[in-house]
Amino acid sequence: MMASMMASLSTNWLTLSIFVPIVFGLIVLAFGSDERPGATRLLALIGAIVSFLVTIPLYTGFDATTADMQFVEKSVWIPAFAVYYHLGIDGISLWFVLLTAFITIIVVMAGWEVITTRVSQYMAAFLILSGLMIGVFVALDGLLFYVFFEATLIPMYIIVGVWGGPNRVYAAFKFFLYTLMGSLLTLIAFIYLWNVSGGSFDIRTWQMMPLDYTPQVMIFFAFLAAFAVKVPMWPVHTWLPDAHVEAPTGGSVVLAAIMLKLGAYGFLRLSLPIAPDASQAMGPFIITLSLIAVIYIGLVAIVQSDMKKLVAYSSIAHMGFVTLGFFIFNTAGVEGAIVQMVSHGFVSAAMFLCIGVLYDRVHSRDIAAYGGVINTMPKFVTFFVLFSMANAGLPATSGFVGEFMVIMGAVEYDFWIGMLAATALILGASYSLWMVKRVAFGEIANDDVRNLQDLSSREFLILGILAIAVIYMGIHPKPFADVMHTSVEALLQHVSNSKL
């Protein structure tokens, strides 16, 4: 009796994870105002915290010993086309739900004093976006996945277009068009799969359905059109630096920490299990693109003069590690890639927040506008150096764990691919240390730096929370890997057994 009661209470945790932030976002939008910014911000923070709390039972009640979907919810949505409101999580998707809810709290706190106009719209956009992104990670119906995947574009488009920099309209349109156009082929693939499966949008059914090699290749490239842009992979990455530079700090945080992961997650949930033979055949092609991103984009990051652009390009390089890990088809590579995604969520968020701290004071992202910041902001520089080291993959930080696992997996796959991937550690240290040296150390460069005020208690709290996450994951990554291990093994077993 008690077990059944607990089961009934836990059946809707995924729905709550999606719709609690959306509902709070609508409440903030309806009742918040610039005349009462304090109350509006507090309501948004309460909404973000409650939204995170309802995801906690997903972790505490998760069974890491099975690869089956858990917390499953299913009900009819569009009966005429057998479309279901079908949700579930496994060890691959769990961490991204928690990460999304966690980062939303950080973003609301980060915009507490910075955003002074249209406060309710700003906070509501992030809360609604949080719910939509969680929807992508838990959807088990193809059409439902597509609706959530595309709907995330709307609040992010508004965030960049309304609160962004001088070229915000251009950046917002470029972001929207790139990601929308890529996704249209995915919709065609979904319709094809619905047709050949006998009228089902169930993703698990698609994964178990045997397909000939040619249809698999077509489906793989249809998915690639959407997911490669979202990651983004080279050469369809050019929208990301523009979006990051023009987006407000919170927009850059969510874009790097969560939205890039939607594309990478698509490879794991759709491309590999639905088109396993095509995925293996196209593995060398994806590995080549990934290595170009790791090496070439790393070199591009070194020559950047804008801090935001530098970190944006470093994100592309780090996501190259992720796609590399997926397509070497071994446990170390795939688990390392997922760990890298989670770590990048913490580290990239922290890096963009650090840049936002400086920008709020000096109103410049140009590296040349700084120098000797440590003399006036020692607390800030402590965090800045830590996160930069994590961005470079320093051992004992989260940035090292995923990269090391992917490199080990790549060496197992092919020694020279592993060697090429390892150059990322050198390049990461180059652009990260070069930026830190010019911004933080040396003599005070100008009056703007001389007049800087160190971190406020709110800023210290935000960066401190992220620092704890980065160090804890770097020192004790086992809990993160344990949750995903069974699901990753099942995915790789499915891919290897499906070879024609």
Side-chain angles (χ1 to χ4, degrees), residues 36-77:
R36 301 186 306 277
T40 301
R41 293 168 184 140
L42 182 60
L43 181 60
L45 181 60
I46 292 171
I49 292 173
V50 172
S51 300
F52 177 70
L53 291 177
V54 298
T55 65
I56 298 298
L58 300 176
Y59 176 76
T60 58
F62 188 81
D63 181 3
T65 63
T66 177
D68 294 336
M69 287 291 169
Q70 302 178 46
F71 298 93
V72 174
E73 304 175 34
K74 188 173 183 180
S75 58
V76 177
W77 181 25

Side-chain angles (χ1 to χ4, degrees), residues 213 215-220 271 275-283 327 329:
Y213 180 71
Q216 283 194 38
V217 172
M218 301 300 291
I219 289 167
F220 179 86
S271 300
D277 306 312
S279 296
Q280 292 185 76
M282 298 302 159
F327 285 88
F329 300 109

Side-chain angles (χ1 to χ4, degrees), residues 134-313:
I134 289 174
V136 175
F137 293 127
V138 303
L140 296 181
D141 181 275
L143 191 60
L144 185 65
F145 175 95
Y146 186 80
V147 168
F148 281 128
F149 191 82
E150 293 300 281
T152 59
L153 301 181
I154 300 171
M156 182 53 72
Y157 173 82
I158 294 171
I159 288 164
V160 176
V162 175
W163 292 276
N167 295 320
R168 58 185 179 274
V169 175
Y170 166 78
F173 266 100
K174 189 174 183 179
F175 157 74
F176 191 89
L177 291 176
Y178 260 68
T179 49
L180 178 64
M181 292 299 291
S183 300
L184 293 179
L185 288 176
T186 298
L187 180 60
I188 295 172
F190 281 176
I191 294 172
Y192 170 81
L193 288 166
W194 175 83
N195 186 53
V196 299
S197 65
S200 173
F201 277 107
D202 186 83
I203 292 175
R204 303 292 279 180
T205 298
W206 292 350
Q207 292 172 352
M208 298 296 111
M209 185 172 58
L211 293 171
D212 292 336
Y213 180 71
T214 300
Q216 283 194 38
V217 172
M218 301 300 291
I219 289 167
F220 179 86
F221 278 103
F223 289 158
L224 182 66
F227 303 148
V229 171
K230 188 77 85 173
V231 167
M233 298 177 66
W234 182 90
V236 289
H237 66 280
T238 57
W239 64 269
L240 184 65
D242 291 328
H244 270 311
V245 167
E246 298 303 325
T249 298
S252 291
V253 168
V254 169
L255 190 59
I258 309 297
M259 288 202 75
L260 305 189
K261 313 306 184 294
L262 300 180
Y265 176 77
F267 281 120
L268 292 175
R269 185 60 73 218
L270 298 174
S271 300
L272 269 63
I274 294 175
D277 306 312
S279 296
Q280 292 185 76
M282 298 302 159
F285 171 66
I286 301 298
I287 288 171
T288 301
L289 295 183
S290 301
L291 289 174
I292 292 173
V294 168
I295 299 170
Y296 168 68
I297 299 299
L299 292 171
V300 171
I302 292 175
V303 301
Q304 297 305 310
S305 59
D306 183 303
M307 287 186 286
K308 253 195 173 185
K309 271 196 173 182
L310 188 152
V311 178
Y313 279 114

Side-chain angles (χ1 to χ4, degrees), residues 27 98 117 145 176 178 310 398 414 432 437:
I27 292 172
L98 295 169
T117 59
F145 175 95
F176 191 89
Y178 260 68
L310 188 152
S398 62
D414 183 278
S432 298
K437 177 182 180 295

Side-chain angles (χ1 to χ4, degrees), residues 213-453:
Y213 180 71
T214 300
Q216 283 194 38
V217 172
M218 301 300 291
I219 289 167
F220 179 86
F221 278 103
F223 289 158
L224 182 66
F227 303 148
V229 171
K230 188 77 85 173
V231 167
M233 298 177 66
W234 182 90
V236 289
H237 66 280
T238 57
W239 64 269
L240 184 65
D242 291 328
H244 270 311
V245 167
E246 298 303 325
T249 298
S252 291
V253 168
V254 169
L255 190 59
I258 309 297
M259 288 202 75
L260 305 189
K261 313 306 184 294
L262 300 180
Y265 176 77
F267 281 120
L268 292 175
R269 185 60 73 218
L270 298 174
S271 300
L272 269 63
I274 294 175
D277 306 312
S279 296
Q280 292 185 76
M282 298 302 159
F285 171 66
I286 301 298
I287 288 171
T288 301
L289 295 183
S290 301
L291 289 174
I292 292 173
V294 168
I295 299 170
Y296 168 68
I297 299 299
L299 292 171
V300 171
I302 292 175
V303 301
Q304 297 305 310
S305 59
D306 183 303
M307 287 186 286
K308 253 195 173 185
K309 271 196 173 182
L310 188 152
V311 178
Y313 279 114
S314 79
S315 290
I316 299 170
H318 284 118
M319 293 304 292
F321 249 96
V322 171
T323 50
L324 172 64
F326 291 165
F327 285 88
I328 57 180
F329 300 109
N330 57 46
T331 303
V334 177
E335 288 187 4
I338 297 173
V339 169
Q340 172 75 346
M341 290 163 71
V342 177
S343 167
H344 183 258
F346 296 138
V347 176
S348 63
M351 290 297 294
F352 281 113
L353 286 168
C354 285
I355 295 169
V357 167
L358 292 176
Y359 183 80
D360 292 341
R361 289 157 168 79
V362 180
H363 301 293
S364 174
R365 294 183 300 267
D366 195 340
I367 294 173
Y370 298 91
V373 172
I374 193 171
N375 295 288
T376 51
M377 300 180 71
K379 294 178 183 177
F380 166 79
V381 170
T382 301
F383 286 119
F384 187 49
V385 171
L386 169 64
F387 297 134
S388 297
M389 295 300 98
N391 199 45
L394 183 74
T397 67
S398 62
F400 173 77
V401 180
E403 291 189 2
F404 178 76
M405 292 174 70
V406 172
I407 291 171
M408 293 300 292
V411 168
E412 180 183 334
Y413 177 85
D414 183 278
F415 176 79
W416 293 109
I417 289 175
M419 286 292 291
L420 288 172
T423 61
L425 298 174
I426 301 171
L427 294 172
S430 299
Y431 55 69
S432 298
L433 291 174
W434 186 230
M435 177 177 65
V436 168
K437 177 182 180 295
R438 289 181 288 172
V439 171
F441 297 109
E443 299 296 323
I444 293 177
N446 51 55
D447 289 338
D448 286 334
V449 174
R450 185 173 289 107
N451 295 326
L452 286 173
Q453 299 294 316

